[in-house]
Amino acid sequence: VRKVETGWKILSLHASPVTERGTGEEYFTSHTVTNHQWSLVRRIQDESLAILNNSIAGGMMGGYLEPGFPLYFVNRHMLDHLGFETYDDFVAAIDGHVINGIHPDDRDDVCRAVDEALSRGEEYEVMYRMEKSDGSWIWVNDIGRESLSQDGRPVCLSVVRDVTREVEMRRQLEREIAEKRRQADSYDELFQSV
């Protein structure tokens, strides 16, 4: 630190993460991080998040880890993708709970997948249908992990990607394969009867 006219100014910060590679009584590795380095790291994180945010069909959401997943946040990209004009429109549509934006037939599976993964301290990945502002449904892939809100409550933060086209293409492929099998079975029956 350095004394300045208005008080003290922090010039660098010492961070010592615990490491298992310590020898004897040494359990910490040392790194000195300057203000410039902190600002660079923060800028890289912000830019990375912006790139991710703009490169996926979907967005990011968070819900408190409480019954119904009360909404913690949703980003503008997600609101736009779902067709909501405002944050308040989205909150009203889901009655403030993320679970209400999930198709009723998928809710139990989503809760189970999230609970199981988070109980093991892992991130979760789950697919489900999510409702858009016009009442239509899209398939999404949701990858998330547990964190803490600013007020210390546990939250689930996730990246939600629209996979509707992939699901539709897979279903079309499954139908085509089933049709090919049906045709092959018909040809086998025909040849066996000759």
Side-chain angles (χ1 to χ4, degrees), residues 65 69 108-126 142-147 156-157:
L65 288 173
F69 303 109
D108 288 341
D109 291 337
V110 169
C111 290
R112 190 173 20 262
V114 170
D115 288 344
E116 287 174 4
L118 297 184
S119 71
R120 294 188 306 266
E122 301 172 356
E123 65 181 35
Y124 70 84
E125 182 171 1
V126 64
D142 181 335
I143 300 174
R145 67 172 25 157
E146 186 173 351
S147 187
C156 181
L157 305 175

Side-chain angles (χ1 to χ4, degrees), residues 47-59:
E47 288 176 6
S48 298
L49 193 57
I51 290 169
L52 173 65
N53 185 34
N54 293 323
S55 66
I56 62 171

Side-chain angles (χ1 to χ4, degrees), residues 73-185:
F73 91 99
V74 60
N75 71 349
R76 181 74 248 167
H77 201 62
M78 189 80 226
L79 292 173
D80 290 343
H81 192 75
L82 294 173
F84 288 96
E85 294 275 329
T86 68
Y87 174 84
D88 290 338
D89 291 342
F90 180 67
V91 171
I94 64 170
D95 194 28
H97 290 77
V98 175
I99 198 73
N100 294 332
I102 297 173
H103 194 284
D105 294 344
D106 300 336
R107 292 176 185 173
D108 288 341
D109 291 337
V110 169
C111 290
R112 190 173 20 262
V114 170
D115 288 344
E116 287 174 4
L118 297 184
S119 71
R120 294 188 306 266
E122 301 172 356
E123 65 181 35
Y124 70 84
E125 182 171 1
V126 64
M127 276 185 41
Y128 57 87
R129 288 163 287 183
M130 181 174 241
E131 190 171 17
K132 295 181 73 172
S133 65
D134 64 4
S136 64
W137 297 93
I138 59 172
W139 281 97
V140 297
N141 176 263
D142 181 335
I143 300 174
R145 67 172 25 157
E146 186 173 351
S147 187
L148 288 176
S149 67
Q150 290 180 340
D151 63 2
R153 292 165 59 191
V155 294
C156 181
L157 305 175
S158 60
V159 174
V160 181
R161 184 174 62 92
D162 185 345
V163 293
T164 304
R165 186 156 187 235
E166 296 166 33
V167 169
E168 290 171 352
M169 288 171 53
R170 184 175 62 235
R171 288 186 173 166
Q172 177 63 30
L173 183 59
E174 288 169 355
R175 285 191 295 271
E176 290 174 9
I177 289 171
E179 177 60 21
K180 297 283 185 205
R181 284 188 182 137
R182 190 193 63 70
Q183 288 176 356
D185 290 345

